[in-house]
Amino acid sequence: MKLLNPEKNKTENNRQYIYRVLKDNIMNLNLKPGENVSEIEISELLNVSRTPVREAFVRLSEEKLLNVFPQKGSVVSKIDLNLVEEAVFLRKLCEKEMLEIACKDIQSETLIKTLEKNIEYQKIIINFKEDLHKFFELDNQFHTIIFENYNKKNVWKAIKRLSTHYDRLRLIDALEKTNVENTLKQHIDIIKLISEKDIKKNRFSCNKTFIEF
């Protein structure tokens, strides 16, 4: 097993460090759904004791990212389509409301410019066939920009906490290049909707285009 980005930040204690590294590796699919994960191996790889590793395992189990079987070992959770559906439901509700707020905003020029800059980076990734992990990061950043622009940062954090299974499914989709062009088009459509500000005309489109696989 090889963990990506195993460097420890100066501000982290061991519990925070182990949890972050493990969650990042699960979410970026370096630790794949169904893969066995050993407390002993993780403690050796990160050069830490087993106690904070065990605590991180418990926390990830509570977040439904690890299945911990006493006396048998632990396994990265397979993608649960019921949890995916819940995340999609929540995102549709929240993102539709965010888009209506943006459509009503008469001072959205700065937001639009920031989103357009994000779009240009997405195009570079696609056109030059760069690492699609980066495209996935830009996709998430696009939505983060909108929520943070309207002081809904904590709402977005709550959505992301519920979206771990959905985000892994989206990343698989991005890496397989099955929906990247369509995702880019959806983002371009979102910017157009915000620019046009015709809520009645665009309400159905807002609900349809703001959520993607």
Side-chain angles (χ1 to χ4, degrees):
M1 177 189 297
K2 182 178 180 181
L3 296 175
L4 300 178
N5 303 317
E7 298 79 12
K8 185 177 182 181
N9 298 329
K10 293 181 180 179
T11 58
E12 292 178 315
N13 59 37
N14 278 346
R15 279 183 291 182
Q16 294 168 329
Y17 164 58
I18 298 162
Y19 168 78
R20 176 185 58 78
V21 171
L22 287 176
K23 185 169 183 178
D24 285 352
N25 276 267
I26 291 172
M27 294 305 299
N28 66 23
L29 301 177
N30 183 52
L31 293 177
K32 296 174 175 57
E35 183 173 347
N36 293 321
V37 185
S38 161
E39 288 183 11
I40 296 174
E41 186 175 7
I42 296 299
S43 65
E44 291 175 351
L45 284 171
L46 299 181
N47 193 29
V48 294
S49 68
R50 288 184 63 182
T51 299
V53 174
R54 189 175 301 112
E55 292 172 348
F57 275 35
V58 170
R59 186 174 174 185
L60 291 167
S61 174
E62 291 171 349
E63 295 181 13
K64 303 186 186 301
L65 288 174
L66 273 184
N67 294 325
V68 178
F69 303 103
Q71 313 304 323
K72 293 184 179 180
S74 302
V75 178
V76 177
S77 298
K78 294 183 178 180
I79 294 173
D80 185 330
L81 294 182
N82 289 322
L83 294 176
V84 170
E85 191 278 331
E86 285 191 41
V88 170
F89 178 81
L90 180 61
R91 282 190 63 166
K92 279 186 175 179
L93 291 176
C94 293
E95 294 190 326
K96 178 177 178 292
E97 290 301 315
M98 287 306 307
L99 194 48
E100 291 203 13
I101 290 172
C103 287
K104 293 176 182 177
D105 183 5
I106 61 173
Q107 297 180 322
S108 58
E109 291 84 2
T110 301
L111 170 63
I112 291 170
K113 288 181 181 179
T114 305
L115 294 175
E116 288 175 338
K117 183 177 180 180
N118 176 280
I119 288 290
E120 292 306 310
Y121 285 127
Q122 290 184 36
K123 290 178 180 177
I124 290 171
I125 297 296
I126 293 174
N127 292 336
F128 290 90
K129 297 179 173 55
E130 298 289 339
D131 182 4
L132 288 174
H133 281 89
K134 183 60 179 178
F135 179 88
F136 184 73
E137 291 176 13
L138 289 166
D139 178 0
N140 280 325
Q141 185 184 80
F142 181 92
H143 297 278
T144 303
I145 289 166
I146 299 173
F147 277 81
E148 291 187 350
N149 187 75
Y150 295 107
N151 298 314
K152 299 294 187 292
K153 182 177 181 178
N154 289 323
V155 174
W156 181 244
K157 284 183 178 180
I159 292 171
K160 296 304 290 180
R161 281 196 294 271
L162 187 63
S163 298
T164 52
H165 285 244
Y166 175 48
D167 283 346
R168 286 191 292 164
L169 185 61
R170 287 173 54 230
L171 179 55
I172 290 171
D173 182 76
L175 295 177
E176 291 180 351
K177 304 179 183 180
T178 56
N179 208 27
V180 173
E181 294 282 356
N182 189 48
T183 298
L184 176 62
K185 182 181 182 301
Q186 289 172 341
H187 291 162
I188 293 171
D189 287 345
I190 288 169
I191 295 175
K192 182 179 179 182
L193 293 173
I194 295 173
S195 300
E196 291 178 348
K197 301 187 185 307
D198 190 340
I199 299 173
K200 290 183 180 179
K201 176 182 177 182
N202 295 323
R203 183 166 282 126
F204 176 75
S205 296
C206 292
N207 190 39
K208 182 180 179 183
T209 61
F210 211 158
I211 192 81
E212 75 278 324
F213 276 94

